[in-house]
Amino acid sequence: MEISVNLRQLEAFRATIRCGSITGAAKMMHISQPSVSRLIADLEDSAGFPLFVRVGRGLTPTVEGRHFYNGVEGMFVGIDRLQDLAKSIRTSQGGKISIGAIQSIATIELPKAISRLYNDNPDVEFVVQSRNTPAILDAIQMRQLDLGIVGREPDYSGVEVLFQTSVAYVCLIPEDHRLATEYGPVDLEELVMTETFVTFGASYPDSMMSIDPQLSEKLRARSRLSVANMPLAGALVREASVLAIADPFSAEQAVRMGGVVFRPIKQKLTYFVAVVAARREELSREALKFVDLFAQQLQSRVDKVEKLSGHAS
């Protein structure tokens, strides 16, 4: 059944949820209580299920109403972002740029890029969040974030890719390990015979493309340590004298914490990074400028890592 609703009905529904009563919603919307009641009733008729049950003098959303509210709230977040965009376009400068980034990028690479635009544009406001890739993609599709910096194998369905690149994983090594003073790529096929590795969820990321299944199983079989993120993996490399396979951005963070070094890997295991948005057309000029700055910076970093690893095309 096709649902026919209008924005005013959704506003009344949202206000009633937030206020917990028709009276509060009417005051928030500056309309009469009967008008709010009628808007809610029309919305329920169109939706085909009750949105509220009366509890005392107030209203409580039904299970269906709560599910419906999640979608409505996401829509209004998108409207709020469009209003911010309209303001940015009107003033030709300034505005807010909200960014969600994976942890490996959020600590070093992202602040570098932000600082360049931040210092030259005093009217631009940044809102930065560190999340995992699935959460970032969801937030982008809901228009809760302008830009997302994600790390997994393409494709990224439901969003527009503004920039993407890939880089080889590296091997994290304790600085007092015999391998730390040697140079050149390490061979995982050789190391797996003598060394112990940290794994992630007792496995290795699917985004490590082209890894031999037998090698992956050997690495897993020699692991007694499983972690959920790279900072913890880096700490265990330092403290437990084990090895880890890491993306170079996380590896740099671990090196800055001290006690570890990293070397390139003979086997090319690929780490993907992409900048995404809901639609390029919805971004402000400042946001697009940031994407260009960040893309140039990140690609320069990737080129250096690839040259070091001997994997440059």
Side-chain angles (χ1 to χ4, degrees), residues 281-299:
E281 292 78 6
E282 296 178 5
L283 296 175
S284 66
R285 278 176 280 183
E286 288 76 19
L288 291 172
K289 182 178 180 180
F290 170 80
V291 172
D292 289 340
L293 289 173
F294 179 77
Q296 293 172 14
Q297 174 188 308
L298 195 65
Q299 191 59 54

Side-chain angles (χ1 to χ4, degrees), residues 12 31-40:
I31 60 177
S32 67
Q33 294 182 40
S35 295
V36 174
S37 297
R38 172 49 55 192
L39 289 168
I40 295 295

Side-chain angles (χ1 to χ4, degrees), residues 109-130:
E109 297 300 330
L110 182 58
K112 286 181 181 178
I114 287 178
S115 67
R116 298 169 63 186
L117 193 61
Y118 178 83
N119 291 325
D120 294 337
N121 297 269
D123 295 325
V124 176
E125 178 182 351
F126 289 90
V127 178
V128 182
Q129 300 177 17
S130 179

